């Protein structure tokens, strides 16, 4: 057999090798898979609908989380939109005449500082299995859909338009052919969009729409309302419209967004939440909107009307009405008096209500916390702790093992969650809040993972649960500015140095007991107003007080005195002396209010840094990534290969020079050549906003703003591709260090499979290889120990083991893996055990849904160095593999070796005993005319297999097999020194086996021909 050692592969992990490749064939990446770890705590959801004829079925649209469907009243939710190029959803609606027809409006359809945009309308004709894009691409925000209850092809869409600038594709659109074409039927100007549209339930020709001239500014909390906002009505199917004004506040009185509804039982009755400052409130009309009257100005029912604006009427009683706000309120007297219906301290922030027209006790309510369903009129609700749609602003990890992932969750608080569970899946036991405000950074102490810093700014102790405010000012003086997200992070060089920023940079070396200001105000003193502000531009905007803040900090991993800071008003500042002096190194291309979203200081060169610049607030959807290699003197924009998609984050791999990662509003990207070329790394991840990403050891961890946390395990393949120049037909990558860790140590009955859980890392040593062409012959993989002994082999000709008739549902069992000979990239898992015995599989009580492996029948291998040999077409490729012990295990190497050796004795003797027992069975079956005494002796030698009778005085190969099985199980069940009873039992069993073997061989020689 020929051996080919891939020298270029063995050099893949050298840190300073220059990258020479540009984009890589996506086939090299296809074996990589993202895994979602949770948490299962819902995020902001504004789309909500059910199916009246099928009361168990509901759909929700999640802001940056896609579309989800439940068929069991909310017990479980499944994503049904993940294949589409946007995850930003503003509304979802089901055709009343055909429950298989579903329309989806993309773009959140709201105005707020952290919004996302979409790319138009979508339609499904098979209840969400497949989707068709219907256009209205430049609408960006579509907040409402209305479907003719008698005609599924007649649909209205409320297009709000660009949130940060003017555009013409906005207003109310109508289709009569199921979305093939759209007509703009209500439009005012490029600054005014539509946010809601409703068809009269009894008269499809009567249509209502709310126009809203809302505009978000380029700075935090900058917003305006234009002159054309208002409520409109059409009585001819949308051909003509007239404005409804009688009794409603005017624009001069502060009119903004109106949320409204029509009572199905009496379509003349309407209710509205009206956002109009001091003139806002709950309003009612009894004549189809022609006249209105205020029925309550209590802000609890209508406040924050630009955010919520939802009111719904019971389908059978026009006097029963609900309003969604911080709390859901219910009135039974036409809106004059209200009672709390659903809510919690702190505010759940409800957005939409859907009431089943056939049974008003069934309601779907969606909020900033996710979706809940009641089937008994509000007595009880389903949970939103089964929806992995959390919205994170940033992500960080600690130095624990397994490491934890942290982030601040929009509208909910904060999360610290394990990257791996010892229960086999990451469930609710694996995460807990860490007392950081919803927008903040989370910074775990590098020296003590029990201490967590974050927000503006607190110190949290996991052990006590206590949180302390450690802000630089105990009482704010107004000297410093902060907005929603304030950077908090540790120095990569000095683990005791913590940085925190507002408009100035602070640092502490004593855990926040005291702070040192190490910069002046680093933001702009003067600025130009971006063109996107348009008609709202005034001279006063140029003279307003400074509003910018430091949005990102990047301490150099090479030099403790070098620190980069980026501001949300478009400055990049640099100090090389620990903050004594600062230089503005902003590239000329970065204009005012171009948010420096993330700065990354190079791990290899002090003068190199990367900047992710997000200009969505300037109505710019282009990607912007800049690089400097000379300390900010010059910058180069590096976006080749990136689509029209704003960039939120850019990070450099700390081990491989030239390997970069970027997170955009829709996906993750990778560059193998220092940013010169980019390509998608979306793989199996749904389309969602990637707000931040970090490299933790060999893993890439991302924080999404709508789909919780995801991890790309083991990026060693990407590191090796980054420095590879060869185009080999076969590549065996150098495996990462494999940790000998137990997939699940959970001892009890499993959680029901309906309980939500994130995924654990792959179970075993990951062996990656690539085949350019399919191999027609046999592909083999061998594992050899340090002495060259082959301890495990796999083949593409292997077959799966036979699952016997077991007394469990097969959906618990892990899919089996066969070594692949197909073209492409492959990731094969070795469980770090010796070859399993050919015995019927048994499954543990502590099962993991869809991922339960058989109980092992062979011992763990020892920690140490092994060799992986892949043989393809007669050529062998080899790589070293290090197996390391779970670092939490403190058992000495000597004790582990003893455990291994005694286990291996049981394993080998059991194989031999089973072989003799099988041979005896053959003799009994094939030999004829055996004397009775000989047959009795054969039976005595064979015996029967039973763990319970392992210590039987009647020694047989069967009883020994059971004994070895029992003792091996005892030895292997924990990474602990073998107990004295286990050692004694092993020695006794081995002695008995040797004696019985000698007797058997003599008996066989005497009674049977060789």
């Amino acid at each position: 057999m020929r051996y080919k050692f891939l020298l270029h592969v063995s050099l893949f992990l050298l840190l300073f090798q220059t990258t020479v490749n540009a984009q890589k064939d996506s086939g090299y990446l296809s074996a990589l898979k993202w895994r979602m770890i949770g948490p299962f705590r819902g995020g902001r959801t504004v789309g909500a609908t059910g199916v009246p004829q099928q009361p168990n079925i509901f759909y929700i649209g999640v802001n940056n989380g896609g579309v989800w469907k439940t068929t069991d009243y909310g017990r479980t939710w499944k994503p049904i939109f993940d294949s589409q190029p946007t995850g930003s959803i503003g509304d979802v609606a089901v055709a009343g005449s055909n429950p298989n027809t579903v329309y989806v409006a993309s773009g959140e359809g709201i105005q707020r500082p952290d919004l996302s945009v979409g790319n138009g309308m979508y339609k499904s004709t098979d209840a969400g299995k497949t989707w068709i894009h219907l256009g209205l691409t430049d609408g960006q925000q579509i907040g409402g859909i209305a479907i003719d209850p008698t005609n599924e092809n007649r649909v209205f869409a409320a297009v709000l338009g660009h949130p940060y600038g003017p555009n013409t594709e906005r207003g109310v659109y109508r289709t009569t052919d199921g979305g093939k074409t759209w007509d703009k039927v209500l439009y005012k100007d490029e600054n005014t969009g539509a946010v809601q549209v409703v068809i009269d339930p009894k008269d499809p020709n009567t249509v209502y729409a709310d126009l809203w001239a809302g505009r978000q500014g380029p700075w935090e909390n900058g917003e305006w309302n234009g002159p054309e906002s208002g409520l409109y009505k059409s009585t001819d199917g949308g051909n003509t419209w007239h404005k409804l004004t009688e009794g409603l506040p005017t624009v001069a009185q502060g009119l903004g967004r109106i949320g409204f509804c029509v009572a199905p039982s009496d379509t003349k009755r309407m209710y509205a939440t009206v956002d109009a400052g001091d003139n806002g409130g709950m309003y009612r009309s009894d004549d189809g909107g022609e006249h209105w009257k205020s029925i309550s100005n209590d802000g609890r029912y209508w406040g924050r009307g630009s955010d919520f604006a939802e009111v719904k009427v019971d389908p059978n009683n026009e006097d029963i009405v609900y309003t969604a706000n911080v709390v859901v309120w219910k009135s039974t007297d036409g809106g004059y008096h209200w009672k709390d219906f659903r809510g919690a301290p702190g505010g759940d922030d409800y957005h939409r209500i859907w009431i089943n027209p056939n049974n008003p006790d069934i309601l779907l309510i969606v909020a900033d916390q996710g979706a809940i369903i009641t089937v008994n009129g509000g007595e009880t609700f389903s949970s939103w702790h089964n929806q992995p749609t959390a919205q994170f602003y940033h992500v960080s990890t600690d130095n624990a093992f397994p490491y934890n992932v942290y982030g601040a969750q929009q509208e909910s608080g904060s999360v610290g969650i394990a990257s791996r569970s010892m229960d086999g899946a990451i469930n609710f036991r694996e995460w807990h809040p860490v007392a950081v405000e919803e927008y903040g950074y989370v910074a775990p102490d590098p020296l003590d993972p029990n201490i967590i810093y974050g927000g503006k700014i607190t110190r949290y102790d996991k052990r006590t649960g206590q949180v302390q405010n450690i802000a630089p000012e105990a009482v704010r003086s107004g000297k410093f500015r902060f907005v929603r997200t304030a950077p908090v992070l540790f120095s990569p060089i000095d683990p005791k140095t913590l940085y925190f920023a507002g408009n100035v940079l602070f640092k502490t070396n004593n855990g926040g007991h005291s702070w040192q200001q190490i910069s002046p105000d680093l933001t702009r003193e003067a600025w130009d107003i971006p063109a996107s502000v348009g008609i709202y531009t005034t001279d006063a905007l140029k003279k307003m007080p400074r509003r910018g803040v430091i949005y990102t900090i990047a301490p150099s991993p090479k030099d403790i005195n070098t620190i980069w800071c980026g501001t949300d008003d478009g400055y990049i500042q640099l100090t090389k002396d620990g903050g004594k002096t600062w230089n503005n190194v902003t590239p000329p291309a970065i204009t005012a209010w171009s948010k420096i979203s993330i700065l990354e200081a190079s791990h290899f060169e002090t003068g190199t840094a990367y900047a992710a610049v997000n200009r969505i607030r300037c109505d710019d959807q282009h990607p912007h990534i800049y690089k400097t290699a000379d300390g900010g003197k010059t910058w180069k924009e590096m976006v080749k290969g990136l689509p029209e998609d704003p960039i939120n984050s850019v990070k450099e791999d700390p081990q491989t020079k030239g390997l970069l990662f970027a997170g955009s509003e829709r996906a993750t990207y990778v560059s193998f050549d220092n940013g010169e070329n980019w390509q998608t790394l979306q793989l199996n991840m749904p389309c969602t906003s990637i707000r931040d990403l970090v490299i933790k050891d060999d893993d890439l961890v991302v924080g999404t703003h709508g789909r919780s946390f995801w991890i790309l395990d083991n990026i060693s393949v990407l590191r090796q591709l980054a420095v590879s120049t060869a185009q080999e037909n076969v590549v065996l990558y150098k495996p990462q260090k494999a940790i000998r860790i137990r997939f699940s140590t959970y001892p009890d009955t499993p959680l029901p499979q309906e309980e939500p859980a994130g995924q654990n890392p792959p179970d075993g040593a990951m062996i990656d290889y690539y085949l350019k062409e399919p191999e027609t012959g046999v592909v083999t993989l061998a594992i050899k120990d340090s002495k060259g002994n082959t301890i495990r082999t796999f083949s593409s000709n292997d077959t799966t083991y036979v699952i016997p008739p077991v007394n469990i549902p097969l959906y618990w069992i892990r899919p089996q893996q066969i070594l692949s000979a197909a073209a492409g990239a492959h990731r094969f898992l070795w469980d770090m055990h010796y070859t399993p015995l050919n015995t019927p599989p048994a499954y543990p009580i502590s099962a993991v849904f869809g991922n339960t492996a058989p109980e092992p029948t062979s011992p763990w291998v020892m920690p140490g160095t092994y060799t992986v040999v892949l043989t393809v077409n007669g050529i062998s490729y080899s790589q070293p593999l290090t197996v390391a012990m779970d670092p939490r295990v403190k058992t000495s190497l000597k004790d582990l070796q003893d455990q291994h050796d005694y286990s291996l004795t049981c394993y080998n003797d059991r194989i031999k005993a089973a072989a003799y027992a099988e041979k005896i069975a053959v003799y009994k079956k094939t030999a004829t005319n055996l004397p009775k005494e000989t047959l009795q002796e054969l039976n005595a030698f064979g015996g029967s297999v039973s763990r319970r009778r392992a210590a039987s005085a009647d020694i047989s190969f069967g009883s020994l097999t059971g004994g070895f099985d029992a003792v091996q199980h005892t030895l292997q069940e924990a990474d602990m020194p073998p107990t004295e009873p286990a050692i004694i039992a092993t020695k006794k069993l081995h002695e008995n086996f040797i004696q019985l073997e000698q007797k058997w061989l003599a008996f066989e020689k005497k009674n049977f021909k060789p």
Side-chain angles (χ1 to χ4, degrees):
M1 182 176 292
R2 295 172 291 163
Y3 281 82
K4 181 178 181 181
F5 294 91
L6 302 180
L7 295 180
H8 72 278
V9 177
S10 67
L11 297 175
F12 274 172
L13 297 183
L14 289 179
L15 293 182
F16 301 103
Q17 185 167 341
T18 302
T19 301
V20 293
N21 275 8
Q23 287 193 347
K24 305 291 182 180
D25 189 306
S26 60
Y28 285 105
L29 314 180
S30 60
L32 302 177
K33 302 295 180 187
W34 294 93
R35 62 180 173 97
M36 191 276 297
I37 66 169
F40 282 78
R41 178 167 68 177
R44 190 169 64 237
T45 305
V46 300
T49 191
V51 182
Q53 312 94 308
Q54 302 166 352
N56 57 307
I57 296 178
F58 301 85
Y59 298 86
I60 56 174
V62 182
N63 293 168
N64 254 319
V67 180
W68 295 69
K69 180 180 182 179
T70 178
T71 59
D72 54 14
Y73 294 98
R75 178 66 177 90
T76 61
W77 292 89
K78 295 182 180 179
I80 60 171
F81 203 70
D82 284 1
S83 61
Q84 301 309 305
T86 183
S88 178
I89 307 299
D91 199 10
V92 56
V94 176
S97 58
N98 182 356
N100 288 324
T101 297
V102 185
Y103 289 88
V104 167
S106 70
E108 296 184 23
I110 55 178
Q111 299 274 330
R112 55 179 301 122
D114 65 317
L115 57 81
S116 64
V117 301
N119 67 343
M121 288 288 297
Y122 289 83
K123 177 183 179 181
S124 173
T125 57
D126 51 15
K129 295 178 182 176
T130 60
W131 297 92
I132 303 168
H133 185 248
L134 301 180
L136 300 182
T137 303
D138 195 43
Q140 289 195 1
Q141 298 259 38
I142 304 178
I145 305 169
I147 307 174
D148 187 326
T150 64
N151 181 359
E152 65 186 85
N153 292 315
R154 182 171 176 265
V155 182
F156 291 85
V159 182
L160 189 56
H162 291 201
Y164 293 106
N167 74 303
T168 57
E169 192 165 82
R170 57 172 71 212
V172 176
Y173 285 76
R174 179 185 64 195
T175 179
T176 57
D177 55 11
K180 295 178 182 177
T181 59
W182 294 89
D183 296 318
K184 186 187 295 186
V185 294
L186 178 59
Y187 176 77
K188 288 299 176 181
D189 57 40
E190 62 183 4
N191 299 296
T192 307
V195 69
Q196 186 180 359
V197 60
V198 173
I199 297 175
D200 186 310
K202 294 182 178 179
D203 178 13
N205 283 321
T206 298
V207 188
Y208 299 87
D210 176 42
L211 296 189
W212 184 23
R215 174 72 57 78
Q216 288 291 295
W219 44 81
E220 189 88 0
N221 299 320
E223 57 184 10
W224 302 275
N225 279 315
E228 295 292 347
S229 297
L231 187 61
Y232 289 79
K233 180 178 181 179
S234 171
T235 57
D236 57 6
N239 294 325
T240 60
W241 299 79
H242 69 278
K243 192 173 185 179
L244 304 174
T245 60
E246 188 69 33
L248 293 174
T250 65
V251 171
Q253 293 174 310
L255 179 64
R257 180 181 180 181
I258 298 175
F260 66 95
C261 66
V262 179
S265 59
D266 177 4
T267 57
K268 295 296 183 181
R269 175 73 63 84
M270 297 180 67
Y271 296 91
T273 65
V274 180
D275 182 30
D278 293 339
N279 298 290
M282 300 296 299
Y283 284 74
R284 168 176 158 176
S285 172
D286 294 305
D287 58 2
E290 298 299 332
H291 300 84
W292 293 84
K293 61 182 178 181
S294 173
I295 53 176
S296 177
N297 61 3
D298 190 326
R300 293 177 298 169
Y301 313 143
W302 66 273
R304 291 173 58 185
S306 63
D307 198 3
F308 304 125
E310 174 77 348
V311 60
K312 283 289 168 65
V313 186
D314 184 287
N316 300 325
N317 187 336
E318 61 271 19
D319 287 329
I320 298 178
V321 59
Y322 301 84
T323 181
N325 208 279
V326 174
V327 169
V328 176
W329 300 89
K330 179 179 180 180
S331 172
T332 57
D333 63 357
Y336 292 104
H337 300 89
W338 297 84
K339 186 179 185 304
D340 56 274
F341 182 72
R342 181 73 179 182
D348 291 335
D349 292 1
Y350 295 91
H351 288 278
R352 294 284 176 90
I353 302 170
W354 180 85
I355 308 172
N356 189 312
N358 300 331
N359 183 352
D361 282 342
I362 299 176
L363 293 87
L364 165 65
I365 306 177
V366 298
D368 283 348
Q369 317 299 319
I372 52 175
I373 295 168
T374 179
V375 296
N376 52 20
E379 291 183 23
T380 59
F381 283 84
S382 64
S383 174
W384 50 46
H385 280 265
N386 57 5
Q387 299 153 47
T389 54
Q391 295 180 302
F392 292 105
Y393 285 87
H394 290 278
V395 63
S396 58
T397 58
D398 63 17
N399 290 329
F401 183 89
Y403 65 86
N404 297 291
V405 181
Y406 299 92
Q409 182 181 348
Q410 168 73 37
E411 306 296 348
S412 297
S414 58
V415 171
I417 187 169
S419 61
R420 172 196 293 271
S421 170
M422 297 314 297
D423 295 348
I426 303 168
N427 56 50
F428 60 89
R429 300 185 182 99
E430 265 64 61
W431 76 269
H432 195 275
V434 291
V436 172
E437 64 182 359
E438 60 184 284
Y439 323 113
Y441 272 70
V442 182
D445 192 318
L447 301 176
D448 184 356
N450 289 306
I451 303 300
I452 310 295
Y453 299 87
K456 295 191 285 285
I457 178 178
T458 57
R459 182 182 187 271
Y460 172 74
D461 191 326
K462 286 185 180 181
R463 294 160 296 197
T464 64
Q466 295 184 21
V467 57
Q468 179 185 18
N469 187 318
I470 58 168
E473 290 185 314
V475 178
R476 290 190 183 179
S477 64
K479 180 180 178 182
F480 306 115
R481 293 189 306 278
F482 300 93
V483 292
R484 296 160 67 93
T485 301
V488 181
L489 72 162
F490 278 90
S491 164
I493 296 176
D494 178 8
K496 292 185 177 181
T497 297
L498 177 68
Y499 297 102
F500 169 58
N503 59 316
V504 303
L505 182 62
F506 300 95
K507 81 169 184 178
T508 178
N509 294 311
N510 55 18
H513 182 72
S514 61
W515 292 88
Q516 178 185 0
Q517 179 183 333
I518 61 170
S519 84
D521 191 325
L522 296 180
T523 66
R524 292 177 182 262
E525 296 183 65
W527 48 84
D528 295 323
I529 303 301
S532 57
V533 176
I535 64 169
Y536 303 106
T537 301
T538 64
D539 289 338
L541 294 181
K542 295 182 179 182
K543 300 174 183 177
M544 63 182 177
R546 294 169 79 170
R547 302 187 65 151
V549 294
I550 298 170
Y551 201 80
T552 176
I553 310 168
S556 171
K558 301 291 291 182
D559 176 15
I560 196 168
N561 290 315
T562 296
I563 308 169
W564 306 76
C565 285
T567 69
D568 66 345
D569 60 4
Y571 267 174
I572 298 176
Q573 305 270 14
L574 172 65
T575 179
K576 296 181 180 181
D577 53 15
K580 295 177 182 178
T581 59
W582 290 83
N583 292 312
N584 187 335
V585 294
T586 309
I590 296 180
T591 56
W593 302 109
S594 300
K595 183 173 71 177
I596 314 301
S597 183
I598 286 289
L599 285 171
E600 173 80 341
S602 174
H603 296 77
F604 307 101
E605 297 153 346
T606 304
T608 297
Y610 306 87
V613 182
N614 186 319
R615 284 176 40 83
I616 186 174
R617 289 181 179 176
C618 297
D619 198 29
D620 179 359
Q621 292 292 320
H622 301 308
H624 299 287
I625 298 176
Y626 293 86
K627 176 191 174 184
T628 180
D630 55 12
K633 295 177 182 177
T634 60
W635 294 82
K636 179 181 180 181
E637 188 169 25
M638 313 181 78
V639 294
K640 183 179 179 182
L642 293 173
E644 293 294 282
D645 193 13
I647 300 297
N648 295 312
S649 182
V650 60
K651 294 294 175 69
E652 177 187 64
D653 181 65
Q655 294 188 27
T656 307
K657 188 177 181 180
L659 181 60
L660 304 179
F661 300 97
S664 77
E665 276 296 293
R666 291 184 173 88
T668 305
Y669 297 89
V670 61
S671 172
F672 295 100
D673 56 4
N674 227 349
E676 295 290 343
N677 296 273
W678 293 90
Q679 63 191 91
T680 181
L681 195 61
Q682 185 169 1
L683 303 170
N684 61 311
M685 186 188 291
C687 189
T688 186
S689 174
I690 311 298
R691 290 296 173 93
D692 198 6
L693 50 87
V694 295
I695 298 98
K696 173 60 179 176
D697 301 328
D698 293 337
D699 297 343
L700 179 62
V701 185
V702 302
T704 76
H705 203 69
R707 291 300 286 266
S708 296
F709 291 127
W710 294 66
I711 297 176
L712 187 63
D713 295 290
N714 184 11
I715 61 170
S716 60
V717 168
L718 301 179
R719 288 169 172 162
Q720 294 171 56
L721 283 171
V723 294
S724 171
T725 61
Q727 298 295 318
E728 298 285 344
N729 291 330
V730 178
V731 178
L732 174 64
Y733 299 95
K734 182 179 179 181
Q736 71 170 160
K737 180 171 65 176
I739 306 298
R740 212 189 89 175
I741 186 171
R742 296 169 188 268
F743 186 73
S744 174
T745 57
Y746 188 65
D748 293 354
T749 55
L751 291 172
Q753 59 266 35
E754 292 82 11
E755 290 298 316
Q759 296 172 286
N760 250 13
D763 184 16
M766 291 175 250
I767 300 171
D768 292 288
Y769 64 98
Y770 173 82
L771 305 178
K772 185 176 182 180
E773 303 291 341
E775 176 54 40
T776 57
V778 178
V779 176
T780 63
L781 183 71
I783 311 295
K784 297 186 176 185
D785 63 18
S786 58
K787 297 179 181 178
N789 300 312
T790 298
I791 61 172
R792 192 76 182 267
T793 58
F794 304 92
S795 167
S796 58
N797 277 353
D798 288 343
T799 57
T800 57
Y801 67 81
V802 177
I803 300 174
V806 290
N807 196 25
I808 59 170
L810 298 183
Y811 52 67
W812 288 98
I813 298 175
R814 176 183 295 174
Q816 299 178 53
Q817 186 179 27
I818 300 296
L819 192 72
S820 179
H826 304 282
R827 172 163 286 178
F828 190 81
L829 300 178
W830 171 44
D831 62 6
M832 290 175 278
H833 282 75
Y834 289 88
T835 303
L837 299 179
N838 187 20
T839 58
Y843 298 94
I845 187 175
S846 57
V848 180
F849 177 61
N851 204 7
T852 306
E855 290 184 336
T857 58
S858 56
W860 287 98
V861 300
M862 278 291 292
T865 301
Y866 295 82
T867 300
V868 178
V869 181
L870 177 73
T871 302
V872 181
N873 194 25
I875 302 176
S876 292
Y877 308 79
S878 66
Q879 287 288 358
L881 167 63
T882 299
V883 174
M885 200 63 208
D886 181 339
R888 298 168 299 177
V889 173
K890 304 307 178 186
T891 305
S892 69
L893 193 61
K894 178 185 180 303
D895 286 335
L896 288 173
Q897 188 70 57
D898 287 344
Q899 178 198 43
H900 169 272
D901 293 347
Y902 286 121
S903 298
L904 204 59
T905 295
C906 292
Y907 171 74
N908 289 329
D909 285 355
R910 181 183 175 189
I911 292 174
K912 294 175 185 177
Y916 287 136
E918 184 175 351
K919 195 171 187 180
I920 290 169
V922 172
Y923 281 141
K924 289 167 62 177
K925 184 176 181 179
T926 59
T928 58
N929 301 321
L930 288 175
K932 183 178 181 180
E933 296 79 4
T934 303
L935 185 58
Q936 289 176 340
E937 288 186 81
L938 271 178
N939 288 331
F941 275 115
S944 60
V945 178
S946 173
R947 279 187 180 179
R948 295 181 180 179
R949 296 175 55 207
S952 172
D954 297 326
I955 299 173
S956 66
F957 289 122
S959 66
L960 286 171
T961 298
F964 288 128
D965 179 25
V967 177
Q968 179 184 313
H969 178 80
T970 298
L971 288 165
Q972 288 283 299
E973 65 185 355
D975 302 313
M976 298 293 290
T979 64
E980 186 175 339
I983 294 172
I984 292 172
T986 302
K987 291 180 178 179
K988 183 62 176 176
L989 284 167
H990 179 66
E991 179 184 332
N992 289 343
F993 172 74
I994 296 299
Q995 292 174 358
L996 186 63
E997 181 181 43
Q998 291 173 351
K999 291 179 181 179
W1000 163 252
L1001 293 175
F1003 173 82
E1004 183 184 37
K1005 183 176 181 181
K1006 176 182 177 182
N1007 292 280
F1008 300 96
K1009 293 181 180 180

